[in-house]
Amino acid sequence: MNSYTVNCSILLDTLPLLERPAAAREAGFTGVEFWWPFPTAVPSDAEVDRFVSAITDAGVQLTGLNFFAGDMPAGDRGLVSIPSRKGEFTDNIDVVVGIGDRLGCKAFNALYGLRPEGVSEQESDELGVQNLTAAGRAVAKIGGIVLLEPVSGAPSYPLKTADQTFAILDRVAAQGVDNVRFLADFFHLSVNGDDVPAVIAAHAGDFGHIQIADAPGRGEPGTGQLALSQWIADSRSGGYEDWIGLEYKTAAADPFAWLPREQRGQPA
């Protein structure tokens, strides 16, 4: 049985953000995940408390949380490899760990960042490895993992394929940090032209998390052409045992109509 977790930053978007965990629970899910839910890297204690309460009051498990990624609507896609924003990322780590500790969250997605102008790829990647190493060591204190993913739709985002992403992960592992893992987003990999079945065959046991949306369109499963059910089954056979993140867009009145209710709330 698959264990689906709802990305409340992209789904249930007709509701205020902090009402979405309860809506996911009402729909039959026991897990939720979020992009960074605050406008700054270091929110106020009151903002954090409200977020934590929204999760606990809903009776769901926070299965994943992004590090602060900058202004996503304006085009930012993470801070990890951007020298001018190193302080923000460093300050954000402690907040992420604190929220994870309070809510029992163990998986934290660090978007790598767009290639900054005026900075060499070597310098950018050296900082990326440094920041991922620091983040991995920090979340290890609460038994967590850091996730790194390929992303589509942003030409200057340097990690578009599994091979490019694993090249950075290998450099982090060489620093003695073994809890920074690959986030297999089947939508992003497919849109970027990667060979998803080959990635699964080679790396399923190394996946730290899976997220799904269909393509084209980034809609719910069944609205596109991707073999999502088969890819999930193959990932399970290859050793992946954790949550499947639902990270798609839909205008459907019932965003989860494709998934029978009895298949939604199984624990990981």
Side-chain angles (χ1 to χ4, degrees):
M1 182 69 72
N2 287 316
S3 309
Y4 293 101
T5 180
V6 176
N7 190 298
C8 288
S9 294
I10 192 171
L11 281 162
L12 302 168
D13 60 344
T14 60
L15 297 172
L17 192 72
L18 298 187
E19 293 180 16
R20 298 178 197 178
R25 187 69 185 91
E26 180 65 23
F29 295 93
T30 58
V32 297
E33 62 183 25
F34 278 82
W35 302 339
W36 186 243
F38 311 105
T40 60
V42 182
S44 69
D45 290 346
E47 288 177 296
V48 172
D49 289 344
R50 285 193 292 271
F51 177 72
V52 169
S53 294
I55 303 293
T56 56
D57 291 350
V60 292
Q61 174 63 49
L62 182 65
T63 63
L65 179 67
N66 283 22
F67 288 86
F68 179 57
D71 187 345
M72 295 272 285
D76 287 343
R77 290 296 181 270
L79 310 183
V80 168
S81 61
I82 302 178
S84 65
R85 307 195 72 173
K86 183 181 187 302
E88 286 177 90
F89 185 77
T90 299
D91 292 343
N92 183 235
I93 291 175
D94 286 342
V95 186
V96 168
V97 172
I99 294 172
D101 192 31
R102 291 175 68 177
L103 291 172
C105 183
K106 303 296 185 184
F108 307 96
N109 184 20
L111 292 180
Y112 197 67
L114 306 178
R115 284 293 189 206
E117 294 184 5
V119 178
S120 70
E121 291 186 8
Q122 179 181 356
E123 181 184 351
S124 179
D125 287 340
E126 285 176 353
L127 177 64
V129 171
Q130 177 185 333
N131 278 335
L132 290 168
T133 299
R137 287 174 175 154
V139 305
K141 298 172 184 176
I142 58 171
I145 61 172
V146 173
L147 302 168
L148 186 67
E149 66 172 324
V151 168
S152 63
S156 60
Y157 190 90
L159 308 182
K160 295 181 172 64
T161 67
D163 284 349
Q164 291 169 335
T165 309
F166 274 105
I168 297 297
L169 294 174
D170 288 345
R171 291 177 62 178
V172 175
Q175 303 301 310
V177 174
D178 63 0
N179 66 326
V180 182
R181 308 278 174 79
F182 183 71
L183 195 167
D185 185 308
F186 293 156
F187 168 79
H188 287 311
L189 288 169
S190 300
V191 169
N192 285 339
D194 216 338
D195 185 339
V196 177
V199 172
I200 293 169
H203 299 293
D206 300 320
F207 290 171
H209 187 40
I210 291 173
Q211 290 176 329
I212 62 170
D214 218 331
R218 203 176 186 177
E220 62 266 39
T223 58
Q225 302 172 354
L226 302 186
L228 295 172
S229 295
Q230 185 63 55
W231 293 347
I232 291 170
D234 291 345
S235 298
R236 296 293 193 203
S237 297
Y240 181 76
E241 299 177 343
D242 220 310
W243 298 89
I244 306 295
L246 304 180
E247 195 187 45
Y248 56 82
K249 301 176 182 178
T250 180
D254 179 357
F256 311 114
W258 64 275
L259 182 64
R261 190 177 181 92
E262 63 271 15
Q263 297 181 24
R264 298 179 185 179
Q266 300 297 317

